Amino acid sequence: MTLTSAPLSPRMGSEVKIGKAELVSGQYAGEIRALLDERGVLLFRGLAPDDNELRTIARTLGDLRIGASKRGADGKVLTEGDEGLLKVSLDPEVNPDYARFLIGNHLWHMDGTYEEIPPLATLFTPFKLSKTGGDTCFANTYAAYEDLSDGDKAELEKLKVVHTMQAALFPAKRDCTPEEFAVWHSYPQRSHPLVWHHRSGRKSLVLSTSGAYVEGMHPAESHDLLQRLMAHATQDKYVYRHKWQLGDLVIWDNTGAMHRVLPFDKESGREFHRCTLNGEEPITAPSQEPAL
Ligand SMILES: [Fe+2]
């Protein structure tokens, strides 16, 4: 038996028809991984996995992230939730440590660009929705790369971009205090190739609001290039916009997509539970490929 799926938009996302028991069993894990790589976002409607089921599904698909932490100048250590299960909410009572970083979720980004090996994928299921707003959008960075001209591809494949926490968060909170900015600034920054040549042979753009500047390029040219690429990659034709229903499970490929949440009522108590799969390969530029 093979999985049944239907596209959610021409170039991004598929809805998968599968029962919860089959999904939890892992018997289709190989097919789901292949489809995730191909379609970027997978939607499972009406499954309503509880926390343990979500962890189990995650483990069938990859290496569930447990205990990863971030540390800022204020000494705060953020662990990846409860045994790999993180509650995503703006309510400090639900998640006091993460709430202050979630403002960046409103802007197009990849997760974990400050890491050498960014996370592979995220599993996300809603527990409480806002009555207004809160759709999540996903942009296919494979497709955005594929549609570039050959000349652009050749130029971009030579470039590296420095990613920083302050670049990711300052646009989301321009009235930050100097102390907040200092905490963001204290996080590690990392340089990644602008074009990722994946082990699969496919290539994608590595774009995110965390992308502060292109190495070795004049700041004005760097700013204009990153703005132009972000506008290119987030055109409607590359984007799937998901309107959430309770019971949904969405899995997205963090290595070939950006994501963002649209504004919603901060007092709504909107809450999602999230599992993250550890990455399996560093971002490698075409020029860094080992000779065969
Ligand atoms: Fe994110």
Side-chain angles (χ1 to χ4, degrees), residues 206-245:
V206 180
L207 293 173
S208 176
T209 41
S210 64
Y213 60 91
V214 179
E215 273 186 12
M217 188 176 276
H218 187 282
E221 291 176 4
S222 165
H223 175 81
D224 289 355
L225 175 61
L226 293 177
Q227 294 270 84
R228 176 169 76 82
L229 289 176
M230 187 61 90
H232 164 72
T234 56
Q235 295 175 83
D236 286 348
K237 62 184 172 182
Y238 305 127
V239 171
Y240 167 63
R241 174 175 170 171
H242 184 61
K243 190 157 192 59
W244 293 97
Q245 296 176 10

Side-chain angles (χ1 to χ4, degrees), residues 10-106:
R11 302 186 76 177
M12 189 55 155
S14 286
E15 180 174 355
V16 182
K17 304 285 172 58
I18 187 173
K20 187 158 70 175
E22 292 171 301
L23 186 59
V24 169
S25 77
Q27 66 186 108
Y28 292 102
E31 285 178 66
I32 290 170
R33 278 286 301 259
L35 194 61
L36 181 63
D37 190 52
E38 182 188 337
R39 301 295 303 165
V41 175
L42 300 182
L43 166 65
F44 307 80
R45 287 265 196 221
L47 292 192
D50 65 24
D51 290 350
N52 271 330
E53 289 166 339
L54 196 63
R55 291 185 189 97
T56 303
I57 295 165
R59 287 194 173 102
T60 70
L61 297 172
D63 181 22
L64 176 61
R65 174 166 294 201
I66 292 175
S69 63
K70 303 171 181 176
R71 184 185 293 272
D74 58 356
K76 276 269 189 187
V77 176
L78 308 179
T79 57
E80 193 70 19
D82 173 16
E83 286 294 307
L85 195 291
L86 182 73
K87 293 178 179 174
V88 176
S89 168
L90 289 177
D91 184 347
E93 304 235 327
V94 173
N95 192 336
D97 292 331
Y98 256 86
R100 63 191 181 142
F101 289 97
L102 295 178
I103 52 170
N105 288 353
H106 289 296

